[in-house]
Every structure is written in structure tokens, then in C-alpha cells.
Amino acid sequence: MSNTQDRIAVACPSCSPAEETVHEVLKPGGHATVRCTECSHVHKVRIEEESEVERKVVVSQDGESFTTMVDAPPTETIAAGEEFIVDTPEAIMLVRITGIEVGPEQRVDEATVEDARTIWTRAVDNVSVRVTVNPKEGTGFREETRSFKVNVPGDYEFTVGETESFGDEEFLVKALHVRDDAPEYRHGKLDHDGDMVYAKDVNRLYGTDKTTSAWSAW
């Protein structure tokens, strides 16, 4: 869901006056400055600007949610998994589409902005990751697993086989359960050394506790 169009198809007066070629938009507007990607010729072209419509967006973050409004071209297609910027008086944040409401109690994964009534999203620029850790091996204690949350940027990388430290918590990453709305991962659960998942895509992280104070002998 973008606010500017960085590439358009128009005729080039230099190399293709009869057929459209892809042009890079150098200066947007009704009378835009564009550059042909075929011959690099720079010229101006009249672009009919599409009117925008206002749509309701629900943003979920850490178990809470708020509602805001965004403007977008009515013919633009949006889909679950796509990310866009929400600019509100309180904050500017990156969100990911989790669902699109096109009618009463009717949600779809893809629709045009015109058909959408409410766009459901979750914030992904800063996220809380749920962590479950088991006692480290060889301690001899029958301690139960522990669960807690860590707050990290959405593009923070968790990798199976690596040790992470957050404050007093230290753990070895053993497996990563991927969120349903996360794109382009091989499986829903990754547990081979070197498997990486961005924090915004993690549903739950499983690890082995390496915190000395938590498992020290009496």
C-alpha cells in the first residue's frame, strides 16, 4: 500500500514513441518527470492521478489494538502478509496485513482497497517474542520449563544453534515456531542449526537455558 508510484509504463519519444516502455518516475505529480529504463531518455509525461479512498485499519500490538485511517488508491490490490507504514499522531509504525474485511463477518486474504471495509494488521517494527526454555542438560535438577518475553526490533534475527542474551536471560536457540502470516519459510517449525527467522515472524522460540543464576547448584 504505497503513496507514490515509482515506475510507470508510457511511450518514450526517443526509443519507443509507438509502444509503452517502463519508466522510472523521477519527479511525481500530474506532469511528472520520468526516465526511460530502455534508453535513459528523460522527459515529462502527463499522469492522471488516481483519487484515493479512506479505509479503517485496526493495528494489534502486544495484545492491545487501536484503530486509525489510511488513504490509498481504490484499485490497488492488497493481500495478507503485505506490510505498509501507518502514520498516526501518536506514532509511525510498520504493520503487516493479517486479514481484510469485505463485509459483515466476511474476511479474505486478498482484495482491492475499494472492496475492503476494514484492514486488520499487527505492528512488526518492534515486537515481543515469546520464549520457552528448558533447564540446561547435566544439572541434575528437575526444574520446570520457564516462559518469558523479549522485546526486539521486528527485523532482529534469531538463528537455531546460537546463544542469545537479554538482560539476565541467556539461552541457546533450539527451535523456532513460525507465525501463520509469515511468508517464505520452508516449514512452520525450524529446528536445524543455521535456520533463521526474523523476530516479527516468530510465534514462539524454544531454547535451552544457559542462565547461570537460574540453574546454579545450592
Side-chain angles (χ1 to χ4, degrees), residues 77-89:
T77 299
I78 56 176
E82 292 181 347
E83 298 178 358
F84 64 96
I85 298 293
V86 169
D87 189 350
T88 70

Side-chain angles (χ1 to χ4, degrees), residues 56-67:
K56 182 169 68 173
V57 175
V58 178
V59 180
S60 174
Q61 185 176 38
D62 293 336
E64 299 183 354
S65 62
F66 68 90
T67 300

Side-chain angles (χ1 to χ4, degrees), residues 133-146 170-172 174 207-217:
V133 295
N134 297 313
K136 56 186 176 182
E137 299 177 1
T139 60
F141 295 104
R142 294 184 177 180
E143 301 284 354
E144 295 182 354
T145 59
R146 296 190 300 121
E170 186 176 14
F171 53 88
L172 176 71
K174 300 293 289 183
T208 299
D209 204 308
K210 297 177 71 68
T211 306
T212 303
S213 60
W215 307 106
S216 60

Side-chain angles (χ1 to χ4, degrees), residues 111-158:
T112 63
V113 172
E114 184 177 24
D115 291 336
R117 293 296 172 264
T118 302
I119 304 169
W120 298 84
T121 70
R122 67 179 179 91
V124 294
D125 45 3
N126 292 288
V127 297
S128 294
V129 176
R130 296 181 296 176
V131 179
T132 296
V133 295
N134 297 313
K136 56 186 176 182
E137 299 177 1
T139 60
F141 295 104
R142 294 184 177 180
E143 301 284 354
E144 295 182 354
T145 59
R146 296 190 300 121
S147 295
F148 51 88
K149 291 182 178 181
V150 295
N151 298 314
V152 292
D155 58 359
Y156 186 90
E157 298 179 2
F158 285 107

Side-chain angles (χ1 to χ4, degrees), residues 177-192:
H177 189 270
V178 181
R179 298 182 65 99
D180 291 338
D181 63 7
E184 300 178 356
Y185 289 95
R186 293 182 294 107
H187 304 289
K189 184 177 182 181
L190 303 179
D191 55 8
H192 292 87

Side-chain angles (χ1 to χ4, degrees), residues 33-70:
T33 301
V34 298
R35 178 168 54 207
C36 177
T37 58
E38 297 291 333
C39 69
S40 298
H41 178 68
V42 176
H43 61 104
K44 289 186 177 294
V45 63
R46 180 73 180 176
I47 299 178
E48 295 295 332
E49 294 186 337
E50 187 176 22
S51 60
E52 296 188 333
V53 295
E54 190 176 58
R55 287 295 178 261
K56 182 169 68 173
V57 175
V58 178
V59 180
S60 174
Q61 185 176 38
D62 293 336
E64 299 183 354
S65 62
F66 68 90
T67 300
T68 186
M69 306 298 290
V70 299

